[in-house]
Amino acid sequence: MDFLRPACWSEALEAKANHPDATPVAGGTDVMVELNFDHRRPETLLDLTRIEQLREWSRTERAGVASVRIGAGVPYSRLIDELGTSLPGLAMAARTVGSPQIRNRGTLGGNLASASPAGDGHPPLLASNAEIELESVRGSRTIPIEEFFTGVKRSAMASDELVAAVHVPVSTGPQQFSKIGTRNAMVIAVCTFAVALWPERSGVGTGLGSAAPTPRSAPEAEEFLAAALTEADQWDDPRPLPDSITERFGELVAQAAAPIDDVRGTAGYRTHALHVLARRTLSWAWDEYRGGTEFSGRQRCA
Amino acid sequence: MRLNLNVNGRAMTADDVWEGESLLYVLRERLGLPGSKNACEQGECGSCTVYLDRVPVCACLVAAGQAQDREVGTVEGLADEEELAPVQRAFVDEGAVQCGFCTPGLLVAADDLINRVPEPSDAEIREALAGNLCRCTGYEKIMAAVRTAAERNAGTGISGSTGGDRE
Ligand SMILES: Cc1cc2nc3c(=O)[nH]c(=O)nc-3n(C[C@H](O)[C@H](O)[C@H](O)COP(=O)(O)OP(=O)(O)OC[C@H]3O[C@@H](n4cnc5c(N)ncnc54)[C@H](O)[C@@H]3O)c2cc1C
Ligand code: FES
Ligand code: FES
């Protein structure tokens, strides 16, 4: 086995181009389990932890939208400590990952590249319409997260590409994330749900995890809720949501799922649980919105 | 491959390291430091917890080559020559050790907590130790030991910073 240790990003891209079969290793929390159990014997390991650039995040603007560009190698613990205010949904999801030791090592880039349907980073990124920046020696491209996941543990990343960064719009309204599992720590999700309200554009975002072969959003639920809120003038003058709305939102979220039976839960349980999670997270987010915190982009009369 | 790293303040070299092995294997089998324990090799139990550049991680999930030129701290490095570290003293005093298999990892995780958070709440202690399993004690004495260690550590006035939202 070869162990490649590029010192900078361009070297890493060269290495990946020359060894398309090389397995990148960032936090190692997925890769090392496979190595330890002989489930994977790559010819080449490509260590990404020496590339400073991957461990940085910065504020950017994409098409006029204030965003954060998160380097693929930023660990969960730093997403929680440093980005909890700008990206609350992602930070909430990060808090549910593994344990402190896992959060200190595991990265968003690794979560994406593994492309597990149960990856906890994915639902909040979907709810925020994040974009994934991929790069190779051929150049850089940025694709919407919806197009990144192509199948169970499969992604749109080419064999010579690496995940460079994730671009996530800064929150403009409440965001929530909820995860079902047998305990608080160290749990692969039975299912997860993320919701984000975007008052400045009267929009709603959603993300479902462990609910289908790939992480996905629930576009019909998003459109239904956004339209219902607009119609009742709820964005500018938020009042309690009628049960009919939260109920329908839950139904549409559950309908967007295509879950399976596995050791962690049945498809029937997952569908039911998603319905409940969707209603519950929406009511938390709505309470927060009604709580009158000034969310940017929308001046509200008291 | 040859691996150079700093362990517990000392420069160390391991030879003939297989590229796919873990830092835990290097520590235990090549550097004569069997304090960090190997139980699950999949990040679930925390018995292999060590500091890597001062951050607690599962040594079983660090590729050996990733530790090149890094600073590793193991349970063997917690005590100074004469005295046990506050967490070690407290684990002994409170009877928080039964078979002892989980202890080295818990000590590193607890040491990190009390140096980051001067007066940890029970919820903070539970959260900090959520990645460390113990099959013997039922955790109550471990909780008591960490509370005691935190109190004593605060008494010395040498606790670290609390971090917080650094945005
Ligand atoms: C005990 C335990 C608990 C866990 N709990 C959770 C949990 O609660 N929720 C959850 O979602 N996950 C969990 N995981 C899985 C894992 O921690 C996450 O998927 C994590 O985000 C992986 O990141 P990493 O940096 O460790 O990836 P690595 O293991 O280093 O890499 C993962 C994959 O991504 C590739 N890769 C890494 N970085 C890049 C890059 N920049 N470009 C291209 N490819 C790349 C690697 O080749 C590999 O295929 C857990 C794992 C363990 C061991
Ligand atoms: S041996 Fe590393 S976490 Fe169990
Ligand atoms: S004392 Fe035996 S596992 Fe903790």
Side-chain angles (χ1 to χ4, degrees):
Chain A
M1 196 185 286
D2 277 337
F3 194 89
L4 305 177
R5 215 178 273 142
C8 66
W9 184 233
S10 56
E11 262 181 42
L13 296 176
E14 284 290 331
K16 191 67 173 127
N18 295 332
H19 307 265
D21 291 338
T23 298
V25 47
T29 60
D30 281 322
V31 173
M32 287 305 289
V33 175
E34 293 181 334
L35 285 182
N36 290 344
F37 285 83
D38 255 339
H39 293 159
R40 192 163 4 177
R41 271 284 168 277
E43 300 253 302
T44 310
L45 284 177
L46 178 62
D47 177 25
L48 299 178
T49 54
R50 259 148 242 275
I51 302 164
E52 272 311 307
Q53 187 184 334
L54 286 185
R55 302 179 55 84
E56 291 166 0
W57 61 263
S58 57
R59 294 183 181 285
T60 57
E61 217 183 78
R62 291 187 65 77
V65 175
S67 298
V68 182
R69 179 185 184 277
I70 306 170
V74 176
Y76 294 109
S77 53
R78 287 186 49 214
L79 297 179
I80 297 166
D81 287 349
E82 299 168 27
L83 291 167
T85 318
S86 331
L87 309 176
L90 184 60
M92 273 180 216
R95 279 186 206 104
T96 75
V97 171
S99 64
Q101 290 91 325
I102 301 297
R103 294 193 290 274
N104 283 340
R105 269 317 260 176
T107 65
L108 207 48
N111 206 226
L112 284 163
S114 283
S116 159
D120 288 325
H122 312 144
L125 294 179
L126 283 160
S128 294
N129 296 109
E131 295 173 296
I132 315 301
E133 184 183 324
L134 300 170
E135 197 167 341
S136 71
V137 290
R138 294 175 290 123
S140 161
R141 61 182 177 129
T142 300
I143 60 171
I145 181 152
E146 290 80 3
E147 291 169 26
F148 181 76
F149 305 107
T150 54
V152 178
K153 303 200 173 181
R154 299 175 70 88
S155 74
M157 190 165 55
S159 64
D160 64 344
E161 282 182 319
L162 294 171
V163 180
V166 186
H167 295 264
V168 195
V170 172
S171 80
T172 60
Q175 302 189 345
Q176 283 292 340
F177 172 82
S178 204
K179 169 171 170 178
I180 294 202
T182 41
R183 62 182 276 231
N184 255 342
M186 233 35 130
V187 156
I188 304 179
V190 176
C191 60
T192 54
F193 181 70
V195 65
L197 300 180
W198 301 94
E200 89 297 352
R201 57 176 165 88
S202 307
V204 174
T206 57
L208 286 67
S210 288
T214 61
R216 55 166 72 168
S217 52
E220 283 182 26
E222 295 174 359
E223 282 157 29
F224 160 76
L225 180 60
L229 293 175
T230 302
E231 207 171 297
D233 195 28
Q234 286 269 33
W235 291 109
D236 288 317
D237 178 18
R239 286 149 281 133
L241 283 182
D243 287 347
S244 58
I245 293 200
T246 47
E247 188 55 33
R248 183 71 187 138
F249 181 69
E251 262 170 39
L252 289 170
V253 166
Q255 274 172 28
I260 53 166
D261 294 330
D262 68 11
V263 288
R264 282 173 280 133
T266 62
Y269 176 76
R270 288 189 158 100
T271 308
H272 174 73
L274 282 163
H275 189 157
V276 175
L277 288 188
R279 272 192 337 233
R280 213 175 269 171
T281 50
L282 171 59
S283 51
W284 292 334
W286 193 251
D287 283 349
E288 192 187 331
Y289 190 57
R290 289 186 61 230
T293 323
E294 256 340 294
F295 292 108
S296 58
R298 193 139 200 139
Q299 291 301 322
R300 288 223 315 262
C301 348
Chain B
M1 65 178 173
R2 163 170 285 203
L3 187 65
N4 294 301
L5 71 173
N6 184 301
V7 186
N8 299 328
R10 285 175 47 208
M12 291 195 171
T13 301
D15 277 314
D16 302 320
V17 172
W18 176 60
E19 287 73 11
E21 74 192 39
S22 68
L23 171 62
L24 179 62
Y25 190 88
V26 171
L27 292 170
R28 290 178 55 83
E29 309 297 334
R30 302 195 189 277
L31 298 176
L33 292 166
S36 314
K37 296 291 177 263
N38 178 358
C40 71
E41 290 199 290
Q42 52 181 316
E44 298 273 349
C45 74
S47 59
C48 66
T49 304
V50 300
Y51 285 112
L52 180 65
D53 287 346
R54 293 160 205 267
V55 175
V57 304
C58 297
C60 68
L61 300 182
V62 176
Q66 293 185 304
Q68 171 74 28
D69 300 326
R70 304 282 190 204
E71 258 179 55
V72 176
T74 71
V75 69
E76 287 95 341
L78 288 182
D80 63 25
E81 303 268 298
E82 306 278 301
E83 265 188 77
L84 293 179
V87 279
Q88 291 172 307
R89 185 77 259 158
F91 268 61
V92 173
D93 292 349
E94 299 286 352
V97 181
Q98 280 184 237
C99 82
F101 208 83
C102 66
T103 312
L106 274 161
L107 287 172
V108 173
D111 184 71
D112 171 65
L113 173 70
I114 67 165
N115 288 309
R116 264 187 309 114
V117 186
E119 290 171 30
S121 65
D122 278 7
E124 283 171 313
I125 299 176
R126 280 178 200 283
E127 180 54 38
L129 304 185
N132 295 78
L133 299 182
C134 173
R135 301 303 300 269
C136 302
T137 64
Y139 299 102
E140 284 308 320
K141 301 214 163 179
I142 293 172
M143 292 292 296
V146 179
R147 283 185 212 112
T148 301
E151 276 162 29
R152 291 179 187 164
N153 202 46
T156 64
I158 48 163
S159 49
S161 73
T162 54
D165 202 329
R166 285 191 289 274
E167 222 170 326

